[in-house]
Short mmCIF file of all heavy atoms in Angstrom, two decimals:
data_model
loop_
_atom_site.label_atom_id
_atom_site.label_comp_id
_atom_site.label_asym_id
_atom_site.label_seq_id
_atom_site.Cartn_x
_atom_site.Cartn_y
_atom_site.Cartn_z
N LEU A 1 -9.29 -11.23 8.60
CA LEU A 1 -9.38 -12.64 8.18
C LEU A 1 -10.83 -13.15 8.27
O LEU A 1 -11.17 -14.12 7.59
CB LEU A 1 -8.46 -13.50 9.02
CG LEU A 1 -6.96 -13.31 8.83
CD1 LEU A 1 -6.18 -14.14 9.86
CD2 LEU A 1 -6.56 -13.73 7.41
N MET A 2 -11.63 -12.52 9.10
CA MET A 2 -13.03 -12.98 9.27
C MET A 2 -13.97 -12.36 8.27
O MET A 2 -15.16 -12.65 8.26
CB MET A 2 -13.49 -12.69 10.70
CG MET A 2 -12.72 -13.42 11.78
SD MET A 2 -13.32 -13.08 13.44
CE MET A 2 -12.73 -11.41 13.65
N VAL A 3 -13.45 -11.46 7.42
CA VAL A 3 -14.27 -10.80 6.39
C VAL A 3 -14.12 -11.57 5.08
O VAL A 3 -13.02 -11.62 4.53
CB VAL A 3 -13.87 -9.33 6.20
CG1 VAL A 3 -14.76 -8.68 5.13
CG2 VAL A 3 -13.99 -8.58 7.52
N PRO A 4 -15.15 -12.18 4.56
CA PRO A 4 -15.03 -12.92 3.29
C PRO A 4 -14.64 -11.99 2.15
O PRO A 4 -15.01 -10.81 2.11
CB PRO A 4 -16.42 -13.51 3.06
CG PRO A 4 -17.07 -13.50 4.41
CD PRO A 4 -16.50 -12.30 5.13
N PHE A 5 -13.85 -12.53 1.23
CA PHE A 5 -13.42 -11.73 0.10
C PHE A 5 -14.60 -11.25 -0.76
O PHE A 5 -14.54 -10.16 -1.35
CB PHE A 5 -12.44 -12.55 -0.74
CG PHE A 5 -12.02 -11.87 -2.02
CD1 PHE A 5 -11.20 -10.76 -2.00
CD2 PHE A 5 -12.48 -12.34 -3.25
CE1 PHE A 5 -10.81 -10.14 -3.18
CE2 PHE A 5 -12.11 -11.73 -4.42
CZ PHE A 5 -11.26 -10.64 -4.40
N GLN A 6 -15.62 -12.05 -0.84
CA GLN A 6 -16.78 -11.69 -1.66
C GLN A 6 -17.49 -10.45 -1.14
O GLN A 6 -18.18 -9.75 -1.90
CB GLN A 6 -17.76 -12.86 -1.72
CG GLN A 6 -17.27 -14.05 -2.50
CD GLN A 6 -16.29 -14.89 -1.71
OE1 GLN A 6 -16.04 -14.66 -0.53
NE2 GLN A 6 -15.71 -15.90 -2.35
N VAL A 7 -17.35 -10.14 0.17
CA VAL A 7 -18.00 -8.97 0.71
C VAL A 7 -17.39 -7.68 0.16
O VAL A 7 -18.10 -6.70 -0.09
CB VAL A 7 -17.90 -9.00 2.27
CG1 VAL A 7 -18.43 -7.69 2.87
CG2 VAL A 7 -18.67 -10.18 2.83
N THR A 8 -16.10 -7.69 -0.04
CA THR A 8 -15.42 -6.49 -0.54
C THR A 8 -15.27 -6.47 -2.06
O THR A 8 -14.68 -5.55 -2.62
CB THR A 8 -14.01 -6.42 0.07
OG1 THR A 8 -13.25 -7.56 -0.31
CG2 THR A 8 -14.08 -6.36 1.60
N LEU A 9 -15.82 -7.48 -2.72
CA LEU A 9 -15.62 -7.58 -4.17
C LEU A 9 -16.25 -6.42 -4.93
O LEU A 9 -15.60 -5.80 -5.80
CB LEU A 9 -16.18 -8.92 -4.66
CG LEU A 9 -15.94 -9.26 -6.15
CD1 LEU A 9 -14.46 -9.35 -6.43
CD2 LEU A 9 -16.64 -10.58 -6.49
N VAL A 10 -17.49 -6.09 -4.61
CA VAL A 10 -18.18 -5.02 -5.33
C VAL A 10 -17.53 -3.65 -5.09
O VAL A 10 -17.27 -2.90 -6.02
CB VAL A 10 -19.67 -5.00 -4.96
CG1 VAL A 10 -20.37 -3.80 -5.60
CG2 VAL A 10 -20.35 -6.30 -5.45
N PRO A 11 -17.25 -3.26 -3.82
CA PRO A 11 -16.58 -1.95 -3.62
C PRO A 11 -15.22 -1.88 -4.32
O PRO A 11 -14.89 -0.82 -4.90
CB PRO A 11 -16.43 -1.86 -2.11
CG PRO A 11 -17.48 -2.76 -1.57
CD PRO A 11 -17.59 -3.89 -2.55
N VAL A 12 -14.45 -2.94 -4.28
CA VAL A 12 -13.13 -2.90 -4.95
C VAL A 12 -13.32 -2.82 -6.45
O VAL A 12 -12.59 -2.08 -7.14
CB VAL A 12 -12.33 -4.16 -4.56
CG1 VAL A 12 -11.04 -4.21 -5.37
CG2 VAL A 12 -12.00 -4.12 -3.07
N PHE A 13 -14.31 -3.52 -6.99
CA PHE A 13 -14.56 -3.46 -8.45
C PHE A 13 -14.94 -2.03 -8.85
O PHE A 13 -14.48 -1.52 -9.88
CB PHE A 13 -15.65 -4.44 -8.80
CG PHE A 13 -16.06 -4.37 -10.25
CD1 PHE A 13 -15.31 -5.02 -11.23
CD2 PHE A 13 -17.18 -3.64 -10.64
CE1 PHE A 13 -15.68 -4.95 -12.57
CE2 PHE A 13 -17.54 -3.58 -11.98
CZ PHE A 13 -16.83 -4.23 -12.94
N LEU A 14 -15.80 -1.37 -8.07
CA LEU A 14 -16.20 -0.01 -8.41
C LEU A 14 -15.01 0.95 -8.32
O LEU A 14 -14.87 1.86 -9.14
CB LEU A 14 -17.33 0.45 -7.46
CG LEU A 14 -18.65 -0.29 -7.61
CD1 LEU A 14 -19.65 0.19 -6.56
CD2 LEU A 14 -19.21 -0.10 -9.02
N THR A 15 -14.14 0.72 -7.34
CA THR A 15 -12.94 1.56 -7.24
C THR A 15 -12.06 1.39 -8.45
O THR A 15 -11.56 2.40 -9.02
CB THR A 15 -12.17 1.20 -5.95
OG1 THR A 15 -13.01 1.36 -4.82
CG2 THR A 15 -10.95 2.09 -5.81
N LEU A 16 -11.84 0.16 -8.87
CA LEU A 16 -11.04 -0.08 -10.08
C LEU A 16 -11.70 0.50 -11.32
O LEU A 16 -10.99 1.00 -12.23
CB LEU A 16 -10.79 -1.58 -10.25
CG LEU A 16 -9.98 -2.27 -9.16
CD1 LEU A 16 -9.86 -3.78 -9.46
CD2 LEU A 16 -8.60 -1.66 -9.00
N PHE A 17 -13.00 0.46 -11.37
CA PHE A 17 -13.73 1.01 -12.52
C PHE A 17 -13.50 2.53 -12.63
O PHE A 17 -13.21 3.04 -13.72
CB PHE A 17 -15.20 0.70 -12.41
CG PHE A 17 -16.04 1.36 -13.46
CD1 PHE A 17 -16.08 0.88 -14.77
CD2 PHE A 17 -16.82 2.48 -13.15
CE1 PHE A 17 -16.85 1.50 -15.74
CE2 PHE A 17 -17.59 3.10 -14.11
CZ PHE A 17 -17.60 2.62 -15.40
N HIS A 18 -13.60 3.24 -11.50
CA HIS A 18 -13.41 4.68 -11.53
C HIS A 18 -11.95 5.04 -11.78
O HIS A 18 -11.67 6.13 -12.32
CB HIS A 18 -13.91 5.29 -10.23
CG HIS A 18 -15.39 5.24 -10.06
ND1 HIS A 18 -16.28 5.92 -10.89
CD2 HIS A 18 -16.16 4.55 -9.16
CE1 HIS A 18 -17.54 5.67 -10.51
NE2 HIS A 18 -17.49 4.85 -9.47
N LEU A 19 -11.03 4.19 -11.40
CA LEU A 19 -9.62 4.45 -11.65
C LEU A 19 -9.22 4.08 -13.07
O LEU A 19 -8.13 4.45 -13.53
CB LEU A 19 -8.74 3.66 -10.67
CG LEU A 19 -8.76 4.11 -9.20
CD1 LEU A 19 -7.95 3.15 -8.35
CD2 LEU A 19 -8.21 5.54 -9.08
N GLY A 20 -10.09 3.36 -13.77
CA GLY A 20 -9.77 2.93 -15.11
C GLY A 20 -8.78 1.77 -15.14
O GLY A 20 -8.00 1.64 -16.11
N TRP A 21 -8.79 0.94 -14.11
CA TRP A 21 -7.82 -0.15 -14.00
C TRP A 21 -8.40 -1.51 -14.37
O TRP A 21 -7.72 -2.52 -14.19
CB TRP A 21 -7.28 -0.23 -12.57
CG TRP A 21 -6.30 0.88 -12.25
CD1 TRP A 21 -5.92 1.89 -13.08
CD2 TRP A 21 -5.56 1.02 -11.05
NE1 TRP A 21 -5.01 2.69 -12.45
CE2 TRP A 21 -4.76 2.17 -11.20
CE3 TRP A 21 -5.51 0.33 -9.84
CZ2 TRP A 21 -3.91 2.62 -10.20
CZ3 TRP A 21 -4.67 0.74 -8.87
CH2 TRP A 21 -3.87 1.88 -9.03
N LEU A 22 -9.60 -1.56 -14.88
CA LEU A 22 -10.13 -2.85 -15.34
C LEU A 22 -9.37 -3.29 -16.58
O LEU A 22 -8.92 -2.45 -17.38
CB LEU A 22 -11.63 -2.73 -15.63
CG LEU A 22 -12.54 -2.37 -14.45
CD1 LEU A 22 -13.97 -2.27 -14.92
CD2 LEU A 22 -12.41 -3.42 -13.33
N ASN A 23 -9.22 -4.61 -16.76
CA ASN A 23 -8.45 -5.17 -17.88
C ASN A 23 -7.02 -4.64 -17.88
O ASN A 23 -6.50 -4.25 -18.94
CB ASN A 23 -9.13 -4.88 -19.20
CG ASN A 23 -10.44 -5.63 -19.37
OD1 ASN A 23 -10.50 -6.84 -19.18
ND2 ASN A 23 -11.50 -4.91 -19.69
N SER A 24 -6.39 -4.62 -16.73
CA SER A 24 -5.01 -4.15 -16.62
C SER A 24 -4.28 -4.96 -15.56
O SER A 24 -4.91 -5.54 -14.67
CB SER A 24 -4.95 -2.67 -16.29
OG SER A 24 -5.49 -2.42 -15.00
N TYR A 25 -2.96 -4.96 -15.64
CA TYR A 25 -2.16 -5.70 -14.67
C TYR A 25 -2.25 -5.05 -13.29
O TYR A 25 -2.30 -5.76 -12.27
CB TYR A 25 -0.71 -5.75 -15.12
CG TYR A 25 -0.44 -6.71 -16.26
CD1 TYR A 25 0.28 -6.32 -17.37
CD2 TYR A 25 -0.93 -8.02 -16.20
CE1 TYR A 25 0.52 -7.20 -18.42
CE2 TYR A 25 -0.71 -8.90 -17.24
CZ TYR A 25 0.02 -8.48 -18.35
OH TYR A 25 0.24 -9.37 -19.38
N GLN A 26 -2.27 -3.72 -13.24
CA GLN A 26 -2.36 -3.09 -11.92
C GLN A 26 -3.69 -3.38 -11.25
O GLN A 26 -3.77 -3.50 -10.02
CB GLN A 26 -2.14 -1.57 -12.02
CG GLN A 26 -3.14 -0.83 -12.87
CD GLN A 26 -2.67 -0.67 -14.31
OE1 GLN A 26 -1.92 -1.51 -14.80
NE2 GLN A 26 -3.09 0.41 -14.95
N GLY A 27 -4.76 -3.51 -12.07
CA GLY A 27 -6.04 -3.89 -11.48
C GLY A 27 -6.06 -5.29 -10.93
O GLY A 27 -6.72 -5.59 -9.94
N LEU A 28 -5.30 -6.20 -11.56
CA LEU A 28 -5.21 -7.55 -11.08
C LEU A 28 -4.33 -7.67 -9.83
O LEU A 28 -4.66 -8.42 -8.90
CB LEU A 28 -4.63 -8.46 -12.18
CG LEU A 28 -5.56 -8.88 -13.31
CD1 LEU A 28 -4.76 -9.55 -14.43
CD2 LEU A 28 -6.63 -9.86 -12.80
N ILE A 29 -3.22 -6.92 -9.79
CA ILE A 29 -2.19 -7.14 -8.78
C ILE A 29 -2.42 -6.35 -7.52
O ILE A 29 -2.40 -6.90 -6.40
CB ILE A 29 -0.83 -6.85 -9.39
CG1 ILE A 29 -0.49 -7.85 -10.48
CG2 ILE A 29 0.25 -6.86 -8.31
CD1 ILE A 29 0.78 -7.55 -11.24
N ILE A 30 -2.65 -5.04 -7.61
CA ILE A 30 -2.59 -4.16 -6.44
C ILE A 30 -3.65 -4.51 -5.38
O ILE A 30 -3.30 -4.57 -4.18
CB ILE A 30 -2.72 -2.69 -6.90
CG1 ILE A 30 -1.48 -2.29 -7.67
CG2 ILE A 30 -2.94 -1.76 -5.70
CD1 ILE A 30 -1.49 -0.87 -8.17
N PRO A 31 -4.90 -4.82 -5.73
CA PRO A 31 -5.85 -5.17 -4.65
C PRO A 31 -5.50 -6.48 -3.91
O PRO A 31 -6.03 -6.70 -2.82
CB PRO A 31 -7.19 -5.29 -5.39
CG PRO A 31 -7.03 -4.47 -6.62
CD PRO A 31 -5.60 -4.65 -7.02
N ARG A 32 -4.65 -7.30 -4.49
CA ARG A 32 -4.27 -8.58 -3.85
C ARG A 32 -2.86 -8.55 -3.31
O ARG A 32 -2.30 -9.61 -3.01
CB ARG A 32 -4.41 -9.73 -4.87
CG ARG A 32 -5.77 -9.80 -5.56
CD ARG A 32 -6.89 -10.10 -4.59
NE ARG A 32 -6.68 -11.34 -3.88
CZ ARG A 32 -7.04 -12.52 -4.33
NH1 ARG A 32 -7.64 -12.64 -5.51
NH2 ARG A 32 -6.84 -13.61 -3.61
N ALA A 33 -2.25 -7.38 -3.18
CA ALA A 33 -0.83 -7.27 -2.87
C ALA A 33 -0.52 -7.38 -1.39
O ALA A 33 0.65 -7.20 -1.01
CB ALA A 33 -0.25 -5.96 -3.44
N THR A 34 -1.49 -7.58 -0.54
CA THR A 34 -1.24 -7.79 0.88
C THR A 34 -2.13 -8.96 1.36
O THR A 34 -3.14 -9.27 0.75
CB THR A 34 -1.54 -6.56 1.73
OG1 THR A 34 -2.91 -6.15 1.51
CG2 THR A 34 -0.63 -5.41 1.36
#
């Protein structure tokens, strides 16, 4: 809870890029599912 969301934004974006999940529902939903 003490880690701002913006700190993890770039690593999560790169992960989604390599998975090919950009512009997809799974890319929108799964990183925010907890």
Side-chain angles (χ1 to χ4, degrees):
L1 291 173
M2 296 182 288
V3 180
F5 174 70
Q6 291 78 7
V7 173
T8 62
L9 186 61
V10 173
V12 174
F13 176 82
L14 294 177
T15 303
L16 296 179
F17 173 76
H18 291 295
L19 290 174
W21 285 3
L22 298 179
N23 291 309
S24 65
Y25 287 131
Q26 61 267 29
L28 283 169
I29 293 174
I30 292 179
R32 307 296 302 274
T34 58

